[in-house]
Amino acid sequence: MVAYADLGGLGSKQGVPVSYNWVMPSLMPQFLPWLAILALLLLKPNRCASAWWVLIPLGCAAAVARVPQSAWELLPSSQFEVFLELISALGFGLAAVWLLSSYLGWKHRMLAFLGILLAQGVFSSLAYVVRQDWEGLGSETFALGVLLMVTALVISVALSLAGLMCRGRHGWLRLSLWLLAALVVAWLVVIGPFSIIAMIASGGNVPVLQFLISVPVAAGIIFGVLLPFLVLSFIKGFYRERLKGLLLLGVAAAPPVIPSPIPAAAAAA
């Protein structure tokens, strides 16, 4: 490459040539989260056509990352990119939870909660980490990673609370409303102490009204990411039974009764 500028009589118009070898960026980091989901689809409980329906809500979450910025004029460019990254990463985490729910179904609530938290945290982190430019790693990238982990904790707590509240009656509308309310409560419980500490440290300069408004807004955004996965569970029996087992809704389905073979002597008689 050669820089060129007409400086009149002040100097040369052409600068010193600089060699640069351009290498096409690898697309592998973009595909790693999808390959991880594909690996879960190859697990024995997911080797059926019904399991692949999870790609539809996952595709909805991933498609958000392709929304043009002009559709979100109220958000600055940096916040817009951050918002899309978090939404997409949470979608991969939820897809992992839905695909691994067969291993967590009808277990103790604490075990199910820990399983949801682990799957959500690991796969969301994977989807977020592989897309970062680690050469320009800064405090903002670390802060967003912490926010992603906090959100994974909020989702795990909210799903567990909603299952606890709907253990007797679990209609789709009742479950959705309780889940939305649980997201608000979980968000308050998780970030409330940090907000109180921040207000004390700043001498009360942190606006309380802004905090109170941000809680339902954040809960609504998380619920929007969860909604396509909930709809999938409501309309597909394969994932409906898994969601019931994951949240302990109702009672476990009785195993099929296999008749014992009739002894040959009894049949001859």
Side-chain angles (χ1 to χ4, degrees), residues 6-41:
D6 188 359
L7 302 179
L10 299 178
S12 176
K13 296 181 180 180
Q14 182 174 306
V16 179
V18 177
S19 299
Y20 178 77
N21 296 323
W22 183 83
V23 180
M24 180 178 293
S26 175
L27 296 177
M28 183 56 67
Q30 302 295 325
F31 288 106
L32 274 179
W34 292 99
L35 292 176
I37 296 300
L38 178 61
L40 294 184
L41 284 168

Side-chain angles (χ1 to χ4, degrees), residues 16-251:
V16 179
V18 177
S19 299
Y20 178 77
N21 296 323
W22 183 83
V23 180
M24 180 178 293
S26 175
L27 296 177
M28 183 56 67
Q30 302 295 325
F31 288 106
L32 274 179
W34 292 99
L35 292 176
I37 296 300
L38 178 61
L40 294 184
L41 284 168
L42 295 179
L43 294 176
K44 186 175 181 180
N46 298 325
R47 293 177 188 173
C48 61
S50 298
W52 288 78
W53 281 86
V54 77
L55 295 180
I56 295 180
L58 175 57
C60 294
V64 173
R66 304 300 178 185
V67 175
Q69 186 178 352
S70 57
W72 302 82
E73 297 178 354
L74 297 178
L75 291 176
S77 177
S78 58
Q79 295 183 8
F80 177 77
E81 295 177 358
V82 168
F83 176 76
L84 297 186
E85 284 186 9
L86 294 180
I87 294 297
S88 179
L90 290 175
F92 281 98
L94 287 172
V97 171
W98 256 240
L99 288 173
L100 291 172
S101 57
S102 60
Y103 295 100
L104 304 173
W106 308 113
K107 298 295 191 297
H108 191 275
R109 290 190 185 275
M110 181 55 67
L111 292 177
F113 164 74
L114 293 176
I116 295 171
L117 179 60
L118 182 62
Q120 181 70 46
V122 170
F123 282 83
S124 295
S125 299
L126 173 66
Y128 174 74
V129 166
V130 297
R131 297 178 180 179
Q132 299 305 308
D133 180 13
W134 293 102
E135 294 181 359
L137 182 64
S139 58
E140 182 179 356
T141 304
F142 177 76
L144 292 177
V146 173
L147 176 60
L148 188 62
M149 291 297 96
V150 171
T151 307
L153 176 60
V154 168
I155 290 176
S156 304
V157 172
L159 284 172
S160 300
L161 285 177
L164 182 63
M165 300 306 298
C166 298
R167 60 187 182 278
R169 300 172 57 188
H170 48 271
W172 67 268
L173 181 59
R174 178 183 177 87
L175 178 61
S176 300
L177 293 177
W178 272 115
L179 180 57
L180 183 56
L183 284 170
V184 175
V185 173
W187 198 254
L188 281 171
V189 170
V190 171
I191 70 171
F194 298 99
S195 301
I196 294 175
I197 293 174
M199 284 188 288
I200 295 175
S202 62
N205 294 328
V206 177
V208 179
L209 181 60
Q210 182 178 356
F211 167 72
L212 294 177
I213 294 176
S214 65
V215 169
V217 170
I221 293 174
I222 299 173
F223 182 77
V225 183
L226 273 162
L227 186 58
F229 293 91
L230 292 176
V231 172
L232 172 65
S233 298
F234 297 151
I235 64 177
K236 295 295 295 182
F238 178 81
Y239 282 107
R240 185 188 309 123
E241 294 304 316
R242 287 193 171 192
L243 184 63
K244 289 170 62 177
L246 182 65
L247 304 184
L248 295 179
L249 303 175
V251 296

